[in-house]
């Protein structure tokens, strides 16, 4: 393996995908070409870009890429989500284990991160003017829904093609395409001519004047809450404390979503209305019947996601939590039962939640 003729300094906080896009743009190479050069592509899957690369890089793979790009293995590993695996349980749950087929946890956006157009536009330095600003690692976590630097909600989809339509997807869209700028949309759209079946959308995601939906500005409470969530991903918050909190938050969010609209009173009127208008599935009763499907996937819409997470956080701090949970569960599922879909979810995560949640397990899961 020969080092590349030129390389690029990683930007603080950027993801592995971001670095591949920006480095490839500088060299005129596709992300797939770079991953092949690093020896990341498995035999038999020459065009497959493993999503596990974003989560963690085994030492041999990190060292190989370090030699290729002139970095240290530690710098390469810093491009993955592995630094948060002890604080944010969905990362550890998504990591590959020998002999076990792993699927990304719903609380990790592997292939379809939300984004801030202002961040992608760069900071004005020469390198970022040429190759764009970073796609931050934090954007792959559903708990990050606001850019606190630019005080705006993240964008969930391309304003030109409307993709992606869900939270998961390939780690890199059109991984063999070397013609796109890192800030251009890589999602495939249908061609309008019979000679070509499809092409990349190529809309600029760093265009702050691009058409967008009528998105509100985050309130001061939302900004404070977002900063507090990000603060739990680093010191001085203890790793175990952060891990338990994020498990509790996940369970509380799932409870609110699954029991909607019975949990509507937990939110202020304006927030509840926004959830009503943006997430009709939350209160779709399938023709009057109770929907017994647990909703453990965070909403892709950043406004709705932020509102639900903040409501869940406030729910966890209630002094009357046990009584409130019992009331909501009875209203949503009828008589108490340990077989409700939410109770099954609780049982799956109960060993990772906090002592407070464990003590209240009789109310969480009856």
């Amino acid at each position: 393996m020969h080092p590349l003729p030129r390389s690029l300094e990683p930007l603080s906080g950027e993801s592995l995908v971001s670095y591949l896009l920006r480095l490839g743009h500088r060299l005129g190479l596709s992300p797939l070409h770079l991953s092949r050069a690093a020896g990341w592509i498995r035999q038999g899957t020459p065009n497959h870009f493993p999503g596990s690369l974003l989560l963690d890089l085994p030492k041999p793979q990190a060292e190989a890429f370090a030699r290729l790009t002139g970095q240290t293995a530690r710098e390469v590993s810093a491009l993955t989500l592995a630094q948060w695996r002890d604080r944010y349980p969905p990362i550890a749950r998504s990591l590959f284990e020998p002999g076990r087929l792993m699927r990304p946890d719903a609380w990790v956006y592997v292939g379809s991160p939300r984004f801030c157009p202002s961040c992608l536009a760069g900071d004005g330095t020469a390198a970022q003017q040429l190759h764009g600003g970073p796609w931050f690692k934090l954007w792959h976590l559903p708990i990050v829904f606001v850019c606190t630097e630019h005080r705006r909600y993240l964008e969930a989809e391309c304003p030109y093609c409307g993709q992606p339509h869900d939270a998961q997807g390939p780690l890199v869209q059109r991984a063999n395409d070397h013609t796109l700028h890192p800030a251009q949309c890589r999602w495939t759209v249908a061609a309008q001519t019979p000679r070509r079946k499809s092409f990349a959308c190529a809309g600029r995601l760093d265009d702050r004047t691009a058409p967008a939906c009528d998105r509100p500005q985050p309130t001061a409470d939302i900004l404070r809450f977002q900063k507090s969530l990000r603060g739990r991903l680093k010191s001085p918050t203890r790793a175990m404390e952060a891990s338990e909190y994020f498990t509790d938050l996940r369970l509380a969010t799932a409870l609110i979503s699954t029991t909607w609209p019975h949990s509507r009173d937990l939110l202020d009127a304006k927030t509840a209305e926004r959830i009503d208008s943006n997430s009709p599935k939350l209160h779709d009763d399938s023709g009057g019947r109770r929907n017994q499907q647990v909703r453990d996937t965070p909403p892709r819409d950043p406004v709705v996601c932020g509102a639900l997470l903040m409501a869940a956080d406030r729910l966890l701090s209630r002094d009357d939590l046990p009584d409130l949970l019992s009331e909501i569960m009875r209203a949503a599922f009828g008589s108490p039962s340990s077989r409700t879909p939410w109770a099954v979810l609780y049982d799956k995560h109960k060993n990772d939640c906090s002592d407070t949640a464990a003590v209240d397990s009789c109310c969480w899961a009856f």
Side-chain angles (χ1 to χ4, degrees), residues 37-189:
W40 291 347
I41 304 301
R42 301 172 185 169
Q43 291 185 350
T45 56
N47 296 316
H48 177 62
F49 206 112
S52 59
L53 296 176
L54 174 70
L55 301 171
D56 193 13
L57 278 174
K59 186 177 180 180
Q61 292 181 322
E63 291 176 340
F65 194 66
R67 289 192 297 270
L68 184 70
T69 59
Q71 301 181 65
T72 66
R74 184 173 183 177
E75 288 175 322
V76 172
S77 296
L79 297 168
T80 72
L81 306 183
Q83 72 180 93
W84 299 315
R85 62 185 298 175
D86 295 331
R87 293 176 175 272
Y88 189 71
I91 295 175
R93 298 179 70 91
S94 301
L95 290 173
F96 174 79
E97 295 180 7
R100 181 181 176 190
L101 181 62
M102 300 294 291
R103 290 176 59 87
D105 191 283
W107 281 65
V108 179
Y109 293 157
V110 171
S112 305
R114 298 183 289 217
F115 60 93
C116 169
S118 297
C119 289
L120 292 181
D123 61 3
T125 58
Q128 294 193 36
Q129 284 182 339
L130 288 173
H131 312 300
W135 288 80
F136 286 110
K137 293 188 300 181
L138 283 168
W139 296 346
H140 287 275
L141 307 183
I143 59 167
V144 177
F145 42 86
V146 162
C147 174
T148 53
E149 179 180 352
H150 296 107
R151 304 176 68 87
R152 60 173 294 167
Y153 282 103
L154 299 181
E155 296 296 330
E157 59 189 27
C158 171
Y160 299 98
C161 71
Q163 296 184 85
H165 301 302
D166 55 45
Q168 303 298 352
L171 184 59
V172 181
Q173 296 289 332
R174 304 181 71 90
N176 205 29
D177 192 334
H178 70 280
T179 65
L180 295 170
H181 186 276
Q184 283 185 285
C185 175
R186 304 183 72 90
W187 285 88
T188 298
V189 296

Side-chain angles (χ1 to χ4, degrees), residues 345-365:
L345 178 69
Y346 168 81
D347 191 60
K348 179 180 177 181
H349 294 283
K350 64 182 180 181
N351 291 332
D352 299 321
C353 64
S354 67
D355 290 341
T356 300
V359 168
D360 290 334
S361 61
C362 60
C363 300
W364 283 104

